[in-house]
Structure formats: C-alpha cells, structure tokens
Amino acid sequence: MPMRDEKKVRMPAVAGQFYDGDPLRLRRQLMETEAAFPVPAATVEPFPVAVILPHAGYMFSLKTAFKTLRAAARGKFRRVVLLAPSHRVGFRGLALSPYDTMRTPFGDLPVDREAATALAERAPGVFAVREDAHCAEHALEVQLPLLQYFFGAVEVLPLVCGGLSGALLAEAADGLAEEWRPDTLWVVSSDFTHYGPRFDYVPFREKVAENLRRLDGGAIERICRRDAAGLAAYWQRTGATICGMFGILLLLAVLDRVDPEQTRRGELADYSNSGELTGDWTDCVSYAGVVFR
C-alpha cells in the first residue's frame, strides 16, 4: 500500500459569507470588536471548562461569541472539543472528521485524529467518520477563526451531532468523558430560538422580543443549573427551535460523568437577537453565550 504523504485539508466553505474571507480584514474586525469591550478584570478563578457559542454570521452573532470566549481566553488550552449540529445531513450518532487539518483565512488548525480514532474504537455504534457531515457545516467553521484568534493553532476535535436518543446520548457521553482533560476547552455551537414563519415557529405574535427572551431564558436557566432532564422536557413542551440542543444535552451528560457533584455550573455571558440589529422581529434568531467554570 502506498504511503499517505499528503494531509487531507478541509477547505473553508463559508468564508466570505458568514465571516470575512480576507485575513487582514477579518483580524481587523476581531480586534475592533475586542477594543469595544472594557479591559477585562483580573483573572477569575476557576477558568472556564466549556462554553456555548452562536454560529450565525459574524455581523449578527460576533458580539455574543466574542464576549463569551473572552471569559475563556486566559485559560491555557491546547485542544478544543467542538460539538456542532448538522444542518445539511440527517443521521444518528456523531460524525467524526476525515480531515487532518481545518483551514481558515488565518491558517490551519490540526485535527486530533488520535482521539477521533479512539472514539470510533470505544463506541463504534455512535461515532463514525462522515465527510458529508463535515465538508460544508458552517456551525463548525464559524468557530475556527475565533479559536485561532484567542488560542492560536490549538488542536481541535470536531464532531457533528446527528440525532441522539436517550441510550445513544448516554453511550456518546460515556465515550466523550474519556476525552476530558485540563488542557481541553469544550465548545458547543448553537444558536437559540429561530422565530417566525421562515422557521415555521410562531408561538406568539405580540411582544416578540420580550417573549423570546423569556422563552430562551427558560432554556438557559436549565442549562446553567445543569438540569438536562428539565431542559429536554422544556424543549419538548415549548418546541423551542434551538438548533444545537443535542450538543448541549451531550455536554451536560459529559459534565455529569466528570463532575457528578455538580461543582461546575453555567453562567450567561451574553444574550442577543438578530432583531435588535435589523429591526425585523418577523423572522429572527436568538444568540446566547454560556460559560461553565
């Protein structure tokens, strides 16, 4: 068998759409966003171990994502486990990346292929390599330039979440809990409620901004106190269109395994809505940044 001497690279799929594809303009945008925030206070202990970040276009969600990641920026992370929903491909379980590196306008990020192989061997009924789930998934890609800006060429373990039933979710959490390390930041990529006819979700028609904040707040409250069962019940009862819910539930399940005493809790870093920017509350999306310390 011939030796494989070339790395398989995931090329950017949404650069120039969800974020600026020019590295100089992109860095300038991130620097200007950082400059708009007050100088951070002294280091807050303990450091964050996990965050939930939005994945919309930067013009909509950058402020919330940036404010959330800033809380983790002082951590000395060498690896990021990145959980994202699947927007294009339907499947069950979790999709592992077939790529060796992931390219952005800022350069390449190495993929932790050793961990990916271990997951596939640990739980083959849950984890499988799927290029179709990774090649165009924006929920993964939009996080990468932010990770590079804050942490440099950090190693990434990208996972795309398909459908996760109770038993499948538990098995996935068991496998992923083995990847918990002090030098690893866990990132769940998720937007919150998608409201309006465009998203086939109109649970109310008056006081939209106020009601959306209340609706999302019910989910955020349960996430922060690590109430996975309550969150799943709330999701089912309200039908809240939170696209990364499987990844959020999976993170909570992993936390239950590595921190059964629940010493680590979540806190809301920022909340926003596209309607605030566009003035259009007919069809809009909410964004929340959550930090687990």
Side-chain angles (χ1 to χ4, degrees):
M1 178 182 293
M3 293 184 62
R4 180 180 174 185
D5 57 2
E6 291 187 3
K7 291 184 176 181
K8 186 168 184 176
V9 180
R10 182 199 183 275
M11 302 300 292
V14 295
Q17 302 172 46
F18 280 70
Y19 60 93
D20 202 310
D22 179 87
L24 295 179
R25 290 197 302 265
L26 179 58
R27 186 167 295 278
R28 185 181 306 118
Q29 180 186 20
L30 297 180
M31 292 176 68
E32 289 174 350
T33 301
E34 182 175 27
F37 291 112
V39 176
T43 303
V44 177
E45 297 287 356
F47 285 127
V49 293
V51 295
I52 298 173
L53 299 177
H55 55 240
Y58 281 10
M59 69 172 292
F60 296 108
S61 68
L62 182 59
K63 179 179 75 71
T64 292
F66 209 100
K67 191 171 181 179
T68 307
L69 268 180
R70 261 179 119 225
R74 293 171 183 257
K76 296 180 180 179
F77 299 111
R78 300 181 61 183
R79 185 179 69 156
V80 173
V81 174
L82 180 53
L83 300 170
S86 178
H87 285 87
R88 297 175 180 270
V89 183
F91 61 96
R92 285 169 52 79
L94 286 106
L96 298 164
S97 172
Y99 301 103
D100 299 296
T101 60
M102 304 181 78
R103 183 162 297 167
T104 80
F106 290 154
D108 291 353
L109 286 170
V111 173
D112 187 349
R113 296 299 303 275
E114 183 178 345
T117 299
L119 286 170
E121 293 174 350
R122 203 174 291 148
V126 180
F127 300 94
V129 175
R130 291 193 63 123
E131 184 167 6
D132 59 346
H134 278 262
C135 62
E137 184 49 65
H138 69 273
L140 283 176
E141 184 177 328
V142 297
Q143 311 299 354
L144 302 180
L146 291 171
L147 296 177
Q148 288 170 304
Y149 183 81
F150 281 101
F151 307 114
V154 65
E155 191 173 37
V156 292
L157 175 56
L159 296 157
V160 178
C161 299
L164 291 171
S165 64
L168 203 59
L169 184 111
E171 191 175 354
D174 288 341
L176 280 171
E178 298 292 325
E179 296 301 323
W180 191 271
R181 303 191 320 216
D183 66 351
T184 297
L185 177 69
W186 292 65
V187 175
V188 177
S189 181
S190 179
D191 293 337
F192 275 67
T193 299
H194 297 60
Y195 171 87
R198 175 186 169 194
F199 305 108
D200 195 27
Y201 186 68
V202 189
F204 38 76
R205 296 184 181 276
E206 298 181 350
K207 298 181 179 180
V208 173
E210 178 182 333
N211 283 319
L212 279 173
R213 182 174 287 273
R214 185 179 299 111
L215 176 64
D216 286 318
I220 293 165
E221 178 187 1
R222 289 163 174 81
I223 291 168
C224 288
R225 69 171 187 251
R226 289 176 51 185
D227 180 8
L231 176 62
Y234 184 80
W235 184 33
Q236 184 176 18
R237 174 167 59 84
T238 63
T241 45
I242 302 173
C243 58
M245 183 59 81
F246 285 126
I248 294 171
L249 290 171
L250 181 53
L251 172 64
L252 296 182
V254 172
L255 283 168
D256 283 345
R257 284 153 175 77
V258 301
D259 178 35
E261 297 83 9
Q262 293 209 349
T263 60
R264 299 180 176 95
R265 293 297 184 98
E267 58 188 50
L268 181 65
D270 193 61
Y271 177 82
S272 59
N273 191 287
S274 65
E276 299 166 350
L277 181 66
T278 66
D280 178 15
W281 294 92
T282 303
D283 292 287
C284 57
V285 181
S286 304
Y287 314 113
V290 177
V291 179
F292 290 87
R293 296 188 185 277

